[in-house]
Structure formats: C-alpha cells, structure tokens
Amino acid sequence: TLFLLRKSGMYNYCTLFDSNYLTRGLAMYESLKKHSNEFHLFIFAFDNKSYTLLEKLDLEYVTVISLQEFENKELLKVKKDRSVGEYCWTCTPSTIKYCIKTYNLDSCTYLDADLYFFSNPSVLIKEMGNKSVLITEHRYSYGYEQSATSGIYCVQFMTFKKDADGLTALNWWVDACLQWCYARYEDGKFGDQKYLDDWTTRFDSIHVLQNLGGGVAPWNVQQYDLTDDSFKLIFYHFHNFKILQNERIELGGYKLNKDNIEILYKPYVKHLEEITKRLKVIDDSFDYNGIVPKHWKDPFREIRKKLNGTYNVFNKEELIS
C-alpha cells in the first residue's frame, strides 16, 4: 500500500542495464533524483551481479527487477539468437509493458541508462498533453544524417499511457521486436528503433517531442549553444561514451567543442568517478564501468578520427581535474 501511495501522482520511469553499465545507470538515476522527487524508477537488472549490488544500495524511489522476474517464454525463446545488446533492445518495449501491467501504472517512460538530466524531465511528459505516446526525434546535425538506416526517432525517452491507443502501439512494438531485433539495417528495419518511423501515421495519439532541451545528443549537439542562458537543457544522451584501459576515456565519434566538454562531459566523468569510488567500498572485486579492451583496429580508427576531427579520447585526469 505504501508503495502504491508513493506512486500516486508521480512520474514512473523504467530503465535497463547490466553490471558493465552500472555506474552510468546510477549516474542517470542520481541526476534524475537531483532534479525531481516526484518519481519512481523501475530498474531492470540484466545480470545477477547488478541485481545483487542494486539491492544492497537500497535506492530511494527505486524498484529493482531481476531477469528471473521479468523474462517470459517469448523473450527466452529469442534470447539465444541475439547478442547482449540486441537482447536489451528486444526487451525495451517489454520492460515498459511489464511495468504498466505488473504495477498498474497509468503511464511509464522508458529511459536509456546513458541519459543524464540537467533539469526536471516532467516538462517533457507534460508536453504530450492528452496524447498517448511520446517519441523523440534524433534531430541529426548536418553531416550526421542517419535517418534512413538508424531511424527518424531515437529510443531514448519514450512515454506510453495505459489507454487503448498507448497499449495498441506498445503491444505492436513488443511483438515486432520479438520477431526481429538485430544490430543491422535490413529490409527497412534496424534494432528496436526503425519501427518507430511511421508511428505518426500507423497509430493514433502519437506526440513528437517539441522541446529542444530533451534529446540533446552527440549527433545533434553541434546545433546548440549551451552557454545561451535562454536555452534550458533537460537531458543529454551520452551515446557511445566509453571508458578505456589505462585511465582513458572516449567521448564518442562526433565533433565536440570546448563548451560541450566543459558543460556536459566533465561533470559526467566526475560523477562517474565519484560513483566508482563509492562502489569500491561495497565491492572492490569488480569494475562496474564496463572498461572496453583494446582492439587491433584501434590505431587505424584513431588515424581516421584525427583526420575528420572526431578523435575525442582523453586521459581521465584531464576531465576530472
């Protein structure tokens, strides 16, 4: 009953990640908590290690859900045929459906674990008004247009209401991802994302986010002046952010300016470092940052990125000092 009372009138969110993404998932949660106390976050722990640690942390406004609780026979049937990443994509719509159905929620907003909030996202959900589904565009910058292969819309921040139109779209998406969800472009499909391309005509009551402060990401940040006081940043999507070996960090493969690094990336890296230190006190046997090992192609990738101005690798100390 207490749980139900806490949910009443609150914004319900869900996310999913495993132990290799745990510091990022916690940073997202803590940034949400900093800017909003009217929320509940359902975290789907995608391995036992992350579930055990999250249970120990006993986070406020959070319900942790294990794979054993969540997975059904349909998901388990396709699991063996998909990579870890592909399976996470396959599960995304099912996590939203699970929350709405299991906890009888009026609505639920899915959050990618690598989002980070700079102000309260409730304004984005309020914008949809009486519509049943909220989706966000990639809004690619010039030179980065990938709508044809990656999709017009980004599965990063999506709201579904528990009404006829919302559940119609959600159930269709669940079934589509069970049938096909791979990390490749094929027959007009790509992962869980290209399915959204025609939703504004396929389904009723779809709202496309208009607030430019939501959905800022490496592929569109070139369009923004983050130092402009009239612009209110709601969240940034730290796509393709990687923690490398030897205390090095890669900020992704898009052009970033000094303001982007100062305003977005430095605070994020500092927060991840702070979380890492806290976790080591609880469990120093595992690094929850998902450190990316070296690859034989790295030197060639480095040359290519330096030539096109997208080499964004720094020593950690440069970003946290």
Side-chain angles (χ1 to χ4, degrees):
T1 307
L2 176 63
F3 176 71
L4 292 174
L5 286 172
R6 284 176 63 191
K7 288 208 320 308
S8 179
M10 290 189 178
Y11 292 92
N12 294 296
Y13 302 96
C14 69
T15 192
L16 63 91
F17 52 83
D18 64 13
S19 52
N20 289 306
Y21 232 73
L22 199 135
T23 55
R24 275 165 275 194
L26 286 178
M28 185 272 285
Y29 155 73
E30 291 181 1
S31 70
L32 181 61
K33 187 181 175 186
K34 179 180 178 180
H35 296 290
S36 170
N37 59 1
E38 296 181 342
F39 78 95
H40 197 87
L41 176 64
F42 298 89
I43 299 177
F44 290 80
F46 263 53
D47 58 14
N48 290 332
K49 191 177 283 290
S50 60
Y51 180 79
T52 301
L53 186 66
L54 288 165
E55 283 287 278
K56 281 183 183 176
L57 291 173
D58 191 23
L59 304 170
E60 194 174 14
Y61 314 132
V62 166
T63 297
V64 184
I65 300 160
S66 69
L67 273 182
Q68 288 72 24
E69 294 172 81
F70 160 67
E71 287 177 317
N72 55 37
K73 61 183 181 184
E74 290 83 11
L75 287 168
L76 289 169
K77 186 178 177 182
V78 302
K79 186 175 185 177
K80 62 182 181 298
D81 184 41
R82 302 182 187 181
S83 69
V84 172
E86 289 168 343
Y87 186 61
C88 287
W89 290 351
T90 301
C91 289
T92 298
S94 292
T95 62
I96 305 164
K97 182 176 179 177
Y98 180 94
C99 289
I100 290 174
K101 186 177 178 181
T102 305
Y103 301 100
N104 194 28
L105 307 181
D106 290 332
S107 69
C108 188
T109 301
Y110 168 78
L111 308 173
D112 267 352
D114 52 359
L115 302 189
Y116 194 82
F117 295 96
F118 291 83
S119 51
N120 195 332
S122 63
V123 65
L124 307 179
I125 300 169
K126 288 174 183 174
E127 183 193 292
M128 68 191 287
N130 294 324
K131 295 295 181 74
S132 300
V133 179
L134 172 69
I135 56 178
T136 58
E137 292 176 289
H138 277 106
R139 299 196 297 266
Y140 291 113
S141 292
Y142 177 78
Y144 294 137
E145 177 57 52
Q146 300 165 62
S147 297
T149 52
S150 295
I152 299 166
Y153 306 101
C154 183
V155 176
Q156 58 181 341
F157 187 102
M158 297 178 67
T159 302
F160 290 83
K161 291 181 182 174
K162 188 186 66 177
D163 59 22
D165 290 331
L167 294 178
T168 295
L170 181 57
N171 286 325
W172 180 91
W173 192 31
V174 167
D175 292 341
C177 288
L178 285 168
Q179 186 175 350
W180 192 99
C181 189
Y182 298 96
R184 62 178 184 266
Y185 177 78
E186 182 180 301
D187 297 330
K189 302 187 292 288
F190 174 77
D192 56 350
Q193 198 157 263
K194 279 286 283 179
Y195 289 123
L196 279 57
D197 276 8
D198 67 355
W199 277 21
T200 56
T201 54
R202 178 184 288 272
F203 301 113
D204 294 324
S205 206
I206 305 292
H207 177 74
V208 179
L209 184 71
Q210 298 301 301
N211 190 323
L212 296 179
V216 186
W219 54 76
N220 64 33
V221 72
Q222 302 77 19
Q223 302 168 46
Y224 294 84
D225 178 2
L226 299 179
T227 65
D228 184 350
D229 292 337
S230 67
F231 173 69
K232 187 166 187 178
L233 176 64
I234 310 295
F235 72 80
Y236 186 76
H237 188 164
F238 283 91
H239 170 75
N240 226 11
F241 176 94
K242 297 186 183 108
I243 296 175
L244 310 176
Q245 292 177 326
N246 301 321
E247 302 283 284
R248 289 160 63 241
I249 293 172
E250 182 173 0
L251 310 186
Y254 295 86
K255 287 186 178 179
L256 302 169
N257 63 33
K258 288 182 181 179
D259 288 335
N260 301 154
I261 293 168
E262 288 292 330
I263 295 169
L264 301 170
Y265 286 89
K266 284 191 174 183
Y268 188 61
V269 173
K270 287 176 184 176
H271 195 173
L272 292 177
E273 180 70 4
E274 178 196 322
I275 290 169
T276 300
K277 287 178 179 177
R278 275 189 265 142
L279 294 184
K280 283 188 183 298
V281 175
I282 301 168
D283 178 11
D284 64 355
S285 67
F286 185 79
D287 191 307
Y288 290 92
N289 286 300
I291 293 174
V292 179
K294 289 181 179 178
H295 191 280
W296 68 269
K297 288 185 179 179
D298 286 349
F300 304 102
R301 291 169 177 160
E302 182 177 325
I303 292 168
R304 189 180 72 250
K305 288 175 181 178
K306 283 182 175 178
L307 287 172
N308 63 25
T310 58
Y311 182 70
N312 300 310
V313 178
F314 296 83
N315 290 319
K316 186 171 69 177
E317 284 302 317
E318 294 179 76
L319 299 170
I320 64 174
S321 58

